[in-house]
Amino acid sequence: EVAGATTVECDDMKIAAKSEGLTLGEQDMSGWGKRQWSGDKQLWVQAKNRGDFIELEIPVEGTKPVSVAVYATKSWDYGVLRFTVNNKQGAQVDLFSGQRGKAVPTGPIELGTFEPAGGKLLLRAEVVGGNEKSEGTKSYFGLDCVVLKPTK
């Protein structure tokens, strides 16, 4: 929990769009260590290819700009993602954990400050590559939550 901020669970967000054939669902993360993930769960996306994506609607009250940070997971078969908010560049992150059998929370990935439209922000997570040491399709990913902070 972050003081003065709003936390929105990714597995509770409305899916606005996704790649065809994408497998996703809620994953219990409590086996990786209690309280490391918000609500002990994440939205697990089993992408298969570069270009696979998911777009989530983040509910936001008001129209004032908010600072957006996404919390994700690093794992041994995860890809490199590009995050955008409202079609504006956010961040690119390699979500490979560095070790087989290891999943760890990323901590905050700061995406910038954005203005909500129609009571929401649109978060897009797209696979843009895979670490050469990652396993499988090198394109899975997990999204924990988004933290919104009002800007001064």
Side-chain angles (χ1 to χ4, degrees), residues 1 49 103:
E1 296 293 313
N49 304 295

Side-chain angles (χ1 to χ4, degrees), residues 38-113:
S38 176
D40 283 333
K41 58 189 191 249
Q42 71 171 359
L43 177 63
W44 187 34
V45 182
Q46 298 169 53
K48 294 177 180 70
N49 304 295
R50 226 173 250 201
D52 281 355
F53 73 93
I54 185 168
E55 289 183 352
L56 301 170
E57 288 184 9
I58 307 168
V60 184
E61 286 185 26
T63 56
K64 291 184 177 162
V66 290
S67 154
V68 179
V70 64
Y71 287 69
T73 302
K74 289 187 172 204
S75 192
W76 67 91
D77 54 358
Y78 281 18
V80 177
L81 289 192
R82 179 173 51 229
F83 292 102
T84 56
V85 178
N86 292 352
N87 299 315
K88 294 182 176 74
Q89 191 64 41
Q92 187 165 306
V93 185
D94 184 348
L95 295 177
F96 175 62
S97 65
Q99 184 181 339
R100 186 175 213 326
K102 183 176 185 180
V104 294
T106 59
I109 301 165
E110 300 293 339
L111 301 183
T113 300

